[in-house]
Amino acid sequence: MGLPQVELGKIRDDRSIVAFAVQEAWHCGNPSNINSVLGFKDITGERNGTALAARYGFASAPSYVNVGGDDWMVGGAVCLDASCSTSVPIFSTHWTPPGNAFGPVAQRTLDMLNAQPSPHLLLGDLNVYRVDTWNPDVPCTGPDVAGRVEAIQRLEAAGYVDAWKITQGGEGWTGMATRNGCGVPNGNLFKRIDYVYTRNLRAVSTTRLARAAPGADASSDHVMLVAELARQ
C-alpha cells in the first residue's frame, strides 16, 4: 500500500470526520480512486480536481459553481449522521487566479456562500497567505502579495473564522513538502495555503495529518488539515 492510501486510511477510520475536501484530485488521485479507500457514502464529481467526499452522503444534490477561470467551489449539505437527521453546507475550493488576482475570486466565493444557510464551511487550497505568527517567514515562504492579503481580509471581514488561527498559537504550514532549499530545517513545509473557514461554527481544535519528516518521502506536497467543530 502506498503512502497516500495509508493516510487516506486514517481518515476512513476516524469516524468523527464527516467530510473530506480534495483539490488537484487528478489522474490516479481522482475522486473515485480516493473514495475507493475512504469508503464514504458519496463523493462529488470533480471540477478541475476539486471535489468533496461525505461520509454519510449529501442531504441534497451537490452544486458545482465556477468562481473564476479554472477555479470551482464544489459541495453541498453534508449529512452529519447515518440517518441524515441534520446537515451542514460544506464546500471545497481551489483558487489559482493569474496575476495573484485573488480578491475577485474570494468575493465571488463569498457571494455564492451568502446564499447558503448558516452555519457553513469553506475548505480548500486557497493559495493565499501572509507572513504572521501562523505563517512565519522561512526560506521560500516569499513576501506578502497584495492580492493574497486582500483575499484573506475579505474572508475575515465577511465574518469567516480561520480554524487554525483561532485554535493554534504558532505555525500552521501546509505546503510544500520536501523541497530542497526550502523551510527550516531543509525540506520542511514553508507556507500556510490550506484553510478551514467557518461561519457560525466554533472551532474546537485543529491538527495536521500526513506530515513527513523534513526532506523525506511524502504522500503529497501538502499535508492534510483536520478541524473539530461544534455548533455555537
Side-chain angles (χ1 to χ4, degrees):
M1 181 177 290
L3 290 173
Q5 289 86 350
V6 170
E7 299 302 333
L8 288 171
K10 296 175 183 177
I11 301 297
R12 176 197 61 218
D13 295 340
D14 185 346
R15 301 196 63 83
S16 69
I17 297 175
V18 297
F20 184 68
V22 297
Q23 299 82 38
E24 300 181 332
W26 300 306
H27 309 303
C28 61
N30 64 65
S32 178
N33 286 348
I34 289 171
N35 206 37
S36 71
V37 180
L38 290 178
F40 282 14
K41 183 176 180 179
D42 202 359
I43 189 167
T44 67
E46 60 92 7
R47 295 295 187 273
N48 197 31
T50 298
L52 184 73
R55 182 180 295 273
Y56 300 114
F58 295 94
S60 56
S63 63
Y64 302 83
V65 178
N66 182 269
V67 293
D70 294 328
D71 299 343
W72 291 80
M73 188 172 74
V74 178
V78 171
C79 299
L80 302 186
D81 55 40
S83 64
C84 202
S85 63
T86 186
S87 63
V88 170
I90 303 177
F91 295 90
S92 172
T93 195
H94 187 206
W95 294 350
T96 61
N100 291 309
F102 288 95
V105 175
Q107 190 58 56
R108 285 191 289 271
T109 301
L110 288 168
D111 290 344
M112 299 307 302
L113 289 172
N114 282 339
Q116 298 298 320
S118 186
H120 55 249
L121 296 168
L122 178 68
L123 319 175
D125 173 3
L126 305 187
N127 282 312
V128 299
Y129 59 89
R130 60 186 168 195
V131 175
D132 58 18
T133 298
W134 302 274
N135 184 64
D137 188 18
V138 294
C140 300
T141 300
D144 288 348
V145 173
R148 292 176 179 150
V149 174
E150 178 191 353
I152 295 169
Q153 291 172 336
R154 286 184 184 237
L155 287 165
E156 291 179 345
Y160 286 84
V161 174
D162 177 345
W164 183 271
K165 184 176 176 181
I166 204 70
T167 59
Q168 302 286 345
E171 64 85 6
W173 300 310
T174 58
M176 313 300 291
T178 67
R179 295 198 178 178
N180 188 35
C182 296
V184 176
N186 184 47
N188 198 13
L189 304 170
F190 57 88
K191 58 183 176 179
R192 188 169 80 98
I193 55 177
D194 300 276
Y195 294 84
V196 173
Y197 273 107
T198 73
R199 182 73 179 269
N200 294 329
L201 284 169
R202 179 170 57 89
V204 177
S205 66
T206 49
T207 190
R208 289 169 290 186
L209 297 179
R211 187 172 187 178
D217 288 342
S219 58
S220 170
D221 59 354
H222 295 242
V223 296
M224 299 180 190
L225 178 61
V226 180
E228 178 188 1
L229 306 168
R231 293 188 182 273
Q232 291 182 332

